[in-house]
Amino acid sequence: MKSYSATDVGQKRKINQDSIFASDKPVGNLPNLYIVADGMGGQNAGDFASKYTVNVICAYIKESKEQNPIKLIDGAIRLANKGLLEEASAHPELFGMGTTVVVTTVIEEYAYTANIGDSRLYLYDGELKQITKDHSLVEEMVRMGEITEEEARVHPDRHVITRAVGVTEDAEPDFFDFLLEPGAMILMCSDGLSNMIEDEDIRKILSKGGSLKKLTETLIGKANENGGKDNIAVILTKPDADEV
């Protein structure tokens, strides 16, 4: 696998509460590992939550003897959730913090993904397909047919998430697996990207090709050009030519 990753504070925020991790080399029993976390909470609490979660997930996966990628990622997320709750209990200034998280690993031709919250994973194969499902109030309203996807993008409650790491004792991730065809690409991002750029515009940017670095910088630049109202995190990943 090869990847490029970056975060940006955006145009409106003073603190970057997004955290990322990207390793094209093995991490524990996984051949590669990619994580995006978008923290929430006052002052530095969101920053702490996202960094802590990424660090715990990485450490757990490095040390675990578990071979099953789903069980491995699930255990890592649950341990991070438990730790965040304990940190918030011990430090009042961190009370109310939490973070979204999306994690993926690619094993041979399949990707295994988990998410909590509204940070996303897309598959680009000429078309752009959102693999993860947002745990958000507006997404539930879309599923119930109460509003359209277009209305959801501008809804005043679009930032309200219904599931996050570090908020309740039971952090339940959703899991997805999908085939990664030759030439396909994985995009992982925080809502600072997906709320600022329409999916069709993301597709158009990726369709132009170029290096992963150039594409990542173009995506972040476009999100900032469109207002940059939140921190932006992006990981772009694709197989090396001989891997798929």
Side-chain angles (χ1 to χ4, degrees), residues 75-161:
I77 290 173
R78 292 181 186 276
L79 182 63
N81 184 71
K82 181 175 181 290
L84 277 184
L85 290 172
E86 291 172 353
E87 291 289 340
S89 178
H91 304 283
E93 69 274 15
L94 298 178
F95 181 78
M97 69 176 171
T99 185
T100 70
V101 70
V102 56
V103 184
T104 198
T105 186
V106 179
I107 303 176
E108 296 180 351
E109 70 269 32
Y110 279 91
Y112 299 88
T113 300
N115 83 297
I116 295 182
D118 60 358
S119 291
R120 294 179 177 179
L121 183 144
Y122 292 92
L123 172 65
Y124 173 75
D125 58 3
E127 298 299 324
L128 189 72
K129 304 168 185 174
Q130 183 181 338
I131 301 297
T132 55
K133 303 299 181 186
D134 296 349
H135 300 133
S136 66
L137 181 62
V138 295
E139 180 63 23
E140 291 187 4
M141 294 168 70
V142 170
R143 289 173 193 164
M144 295 293 290
E146 296 175 5
I147 60 173
T148 65
E149 290 186 3
E150 290 73 22
E151 290 170 332
R153 293 190 66 85
V154 295
H155 197 281
D157 293 329
R158 64 187 178 279
H159 298 297
V160 178
I161 59 175

Side-chain angles (χ1 to χ4, degrees), residues 11-244:
Q11 301 296 304
K12 305 295 183 182
R13 302 292 177 91
K14 295 182 179 179
I15 299 174
N16 191 346
Q17 297 187 332
D18 287 359
S19 296
I20 55 177
F21 176 84
S23 176
D24 302 329
K25 297 180 179 180
V27 178
N29 287 331
L30 297 181
N32 46 69
L33 181 64
Y34 309 98
I35 309 169
V36 170
D38 180 358
M40 58 188 184
Q43 300 299 321
N44 293 322
D47 177 44
F48 177 90
S50 64
K51 287 181 179 177
Y52 179 94
T53 296
V54 168
N55 289 338
V56 168
I57 290 173
C58 290
Y60 180 93
I61 291 174
K62 285 178 183 177
E63 297 167 6
S64 176
K65 298 187 183 304
E66 176 61 57
Q67 298 284 339
N68 183 295
I70 299 298
K71 291 181 179 179
L72 193 52
I73 294 170
D74 184 55
I77 290 173
R78 292 181 186 276
L79 182 63
N81 184 71
K82 181 175 181 290
L84 277 184
L85 290 172
E86 291 172 353
E87 291 289 340
S89 178
H91 304 283
E93 69 274 15
L94 298 178
F95 181 78
M97 69 176 171
T99 185
T100 70
V101 70
V102 56
V103 184
T104 198
T105 186
V106 179
I107 303 176
E108 296 180 351
E109 70 269 32
Y110 279 91
Y112 299 88
T113 300
N115 83 297
I116 295 182
D118 60 358
S119 291
R120 294 179 177 179
L121 183 144
Y122 292 92
L123 172 65
Y124 173 75
D125 58 3
E127 298 299 324
L128 189 72
K129 304 168 185 174
Q130 183 181 338
I131 301 297
T132 55
K133 303 299 181 186
D134 296 349
H135 300 133
S136 66
L137 181 62
V138 295
E139 180 63 23
E140 291 187 4
M141 294 168 70
V142 170
R143 289 173 193 164
M144 295 293 290
E146 296 175 5
I147 60 173
T148 65
E149 290 186 3
E150 290 73 22
E151 290 170 332
R153 293 190 66 85
V154 295
H155 197 281
D157 293 329
R158 64 187 178 279
H159 298 297
V160 178
I161 59 175
T162 56
R163 211 186 300 181
V165 180
V167 175
T168 64
E169 291 186 5
D170 185 23
E172 190 74 37
D174 287 343
F175 289 93
F176 309 86
D177 60 85
F178 57 93
L179 181 66
L180 190 61
E181 298 278 7
M185 197 180 325
I186 292 171
L187 165 64
M188 300 168 66
C189 64
S190 63
D191 67 344
L193 184 84
S194 56
N195 280 343
M196 289 288 100
I197 311 179
E198 298 278 354
D199 284 4
E200 176 59 17
D201 290 332
I202 293 176
R203 186 197 67 78
K204 288 178 180 178
I205 290 171
L206 296 180
S207 71
K208 293 179 181 178
S211 68
L212 296 179
K213 180 177 186 290
K214 178 183 177 183
L215 291 172
T216 299
E217 290 173 347
T218 301
L219 288 168
I220 290 174
K222 186 65 174 177
N224 278 322
E225 182 184 320
N226 289 348
K229 295 180 180 179
D230 202 349
N231 308 143
I232 307 157
V234 174
I235 300 177
L236 275 177
T237 309
K238 67 179 181 180
D240 281 327
D242 58 348
E243 285 187 304
V244 174

